[in-house]
Amino acid sequence: MSEIICRDLTLGYENSILVQGLSFDIHSGDYLCIVGENGAGKSTLMKTILHLQKPLSGDITYGDGLVPSEIGYLPQQTVVQKDFPASVWEVILSGRQSRLGKRPFYSVTDKKEALGNMERLGISDLKGKCYRELSGGQQQRVLLARALSATSRMILLDEPVSGLDPMATLEMYQIIQRLNREGITVVMISHDILSSARYASHMLHLGEEVFYGTVEEYAASSVGKRYLERSGVADDKIQAASFISDDTAEEENGKA
């Protein structure tokens, strides 16, 4: 069923339209990558999905019983945020704030969820460490655990591998893929079109030409072919380079 329904959206600011006439659905279990040119409206769309910003026109609605508190969000980090002087435990537990309601303190359930997500991402040993002393890859795992502490249904990720080294990038992609296979809907902004085509189920391309569809449809489309070629993949090699077989995926999951 559709968890996010976008109809005839126009996004931008008072004197600047970034994208218009945008319609698509995000279904339970999808892995959607939002790609395209800089300034095309990718982050604006994500903020609009989160109801942090209003569209200029059109509608975004939640379906299948989804509510805002069931969406985990991992935004791009600022320099100040990377230097945040809190413990890893405090950062991850703060992901439960949307579930507090009128309660002034975290419950046993809140703490159990936070601990479970630390174990899930292999960072239990970092619990007492200061967040700003971690590596970039460790910080992103902590923030992902924080996002997961808010939800068991959907996570929105804005450039989650930005600034990471190649190994940390690969590990993050594999973790996100595993979470999706566990049933979490993933919506991710990425500049890495090849990796997006490799891991995602659906692609939304924003820019002069707008495309929404499955990865296979994207690879066969004019805009998909053009951008995959720019990434160094020839037409007859797109299929081989962009998609991993089930056997390879299972092997990678075992290493993650």
Side-chain angles (χ1 to χ4, degrees):
M1 295 183 65
S2 296
E3 294 184 320
I4 303 289
I5 303 102
C6 300
R7 292 292 179 266
D8 200 25
L9 287 179
T10 297
L11 304 176
Y13 305 93
E14 187 174 344
N15 299 315
S16 177
I17 293 177
L18 300 176
V19 61
Q20 56 187 346
L22 182 62
S23 296
F24 63 95
D25 288 11
I26 301 172
H27 296 90
S28 177
D30 280 355
Y31 187 152
L32 172 67
C33 277
I34 305 171
V35 300
E37 297 91 340
N38 289 332
K42 299 186 295 294
S43 292
T44 301
L45 173 59
M46 185 164 282
K47 291 175 183 177
T48 306
I49 290 174
L50 289 164
H51 292 174
L52 299 176
Q53 183 171 327
K54 292 184 178 180
L56 297 180
S57 65
D59 297 294
I60 291 183
T61 56
Y62 297 159
D64 196 21
L66 183 70
V67 296
S69 63
E70 293 177 315
I71 301 177
Y73 179 40
L74 196 166
Q76 290 190 53
Q77 281 199 92
T78 66
V79 173
V80 172
Q81 288 169 332
K82 290 181 180 180
D83 200 38
F84 193 59
S87 71
V88 166
W89 173 242
E90 290 171 329
V91 171
I92 295 174
L93 190 56
S94 70
R96 298 292 298 179
Q97 285 183 351
S98 63
R99 303 297 184 95
L100 286 178
K102 296 182 179 181
R103 289 185 287 112
F105 304 108
Y106 293 112
S107 67
V108 172
T109 299
D110 293 327
K111 295 175 182 179
K112 183 178 179 180
E113 285 290 328
L115 286 171
N117 285 311
M118 292 180 71
E119 294 175 4
R120 197 176 190 181
L121 298 187
I123 54 174
S124 297
D125 59 321
L126 302 179
K127 181 181 178 182
K129 291 187 176 295
C130 182
Y131 176 77
R132 65 182 176 186
E133 295 174 357
L134 304 180
S135 68
Q138 289 173 327
Q139 286 189 344
Q140 286 301 84
R141 287 197 186 207
V142 169
L143 292 180
L144 184 54
R146 180 184 186 276
L148 289 170
S149 294
T151 183
S152 60
R153 295 188 62 174
M154 177 181 290
I155 50 174
L156 273 58
L157 314 171
D158 193 348
E159 293 285 354
V161 301
S162 178
L164 301 186
D165 63 52
M167 182 56 69
T169 294
L170 176 61
E171 290 174 349
M172 182 60 68
Y173 277 132
Q174 291 175 346
I175 288 170
I176 294 168
Q177 182 187 52
R178 172 166 52 83
L179 294 173
N180 178 246
R181 291 187 171 197
E182 290 173 0
I184 293 178
T185 304
V186 175
V187 181
M188 180 173 74
I189 293 174
S190 177
H191 281 97
D192 186 349
I193 292 182
L194 273 181
S195 292
S196 297
R198 184 182 186 188
Y199 291 103
S201 63
H202 294 76
M203 301 283 280
L204 173 61
H205 188 115
L206 301 181
E208 292 185 6
E209 186 175 350
V210 175
F211 173 91
Y212 172 76
T214 66
V215 172
E216 291 83 0
E217 291 168 342
Y218 182 70
S221 70
S222 59
V223 65
K225 287 181 178 179
R226 186 163 66 252
Y227 275 82
L228 289 167
E229 287 172 10
R230 287 182 186 177
S231 300
V233 184
D235 276 343
D236 59 348
K237 295 182 180 179
I238 287 176
Q239 201 74 7
S242 299
F243 310 112
I244 48 178
S245 68
D246 290 339
D247 290 342
T248 304
E250 291 301 328
E251 181 180 345
E252 289 184 345
N253 281 338
K255 295 177 182 178

